[in-house]
Amino acid sequence: MIMHYTIILDAQAEGGFTARCVELSEALGRGSTQGEALASIRESIELVQVAYSEVLHKTIGAVNSEIIRIEVADAV
C-alpha cells in the first residue's frame, strides 16, 4: 500500500533544510539540500511506520482485537 504524507520543507537561517511531516509529528528530516532533507524524512517516516507496526502487533497479540480500516475525506 502506498501512503501519502504532507511534508513541510523549511530553509534554515544557518543553512540547510528541515523537513517535517504533518501526519507523523515524530518524523523529522534534515539535510544541506532540499533533496537530502526529503530523503532524510522518508527514512524517518519508514522508521516511525515500523515502530507503529510493532506496537500494533503487540497490542493485537495481547487482547482479542480486530483491525478495521476506514477512509476519511481530505478536509482541505
Side-chain angles (χ1 to χ4, degrees), residues 3-23:
M3 302 292 293
H4 297 272
Y5 296 100
T6 307
I7 306 301
I8 299 171
L9 191 61
D10 296 313
Q12 299 300 301
E14 64 277 2
F17 294 86
T18 301
R20 297 177 287 135
C21 180
V22 173
E23 294 84 4

Side-chain angles (χ1 to χ4, degrees), residues 16-44:
F17 294 86
T18 301
R20 297 177 287 135
C21 180
V22 173
E23 294 84 4
L24 299 173
S25 60
E26 303 92 331
L28 183 66
R30 291 190 174 93
S32 57
T33 66
Q34 290 180 350
E36 287 178 5
L38 291 173
S40 177
I41 193 138
R42 185 181 304 273
E43 291 176 16
S44 183

Side-chain angles (χ1 to χ4, degrees), residues 2 5-6 14 30-31 35 41-42 46 57 59 61 63 69 72:
I2 295 176
Y5 296 100
T6 307
E14 64 277 2
R30 291 190 174 93
I41 193 138
R42 185 181 304 273
E46 290 171 357
H57 287 293
T59 301
V63 294
R69 187 175 304 265
V72 178

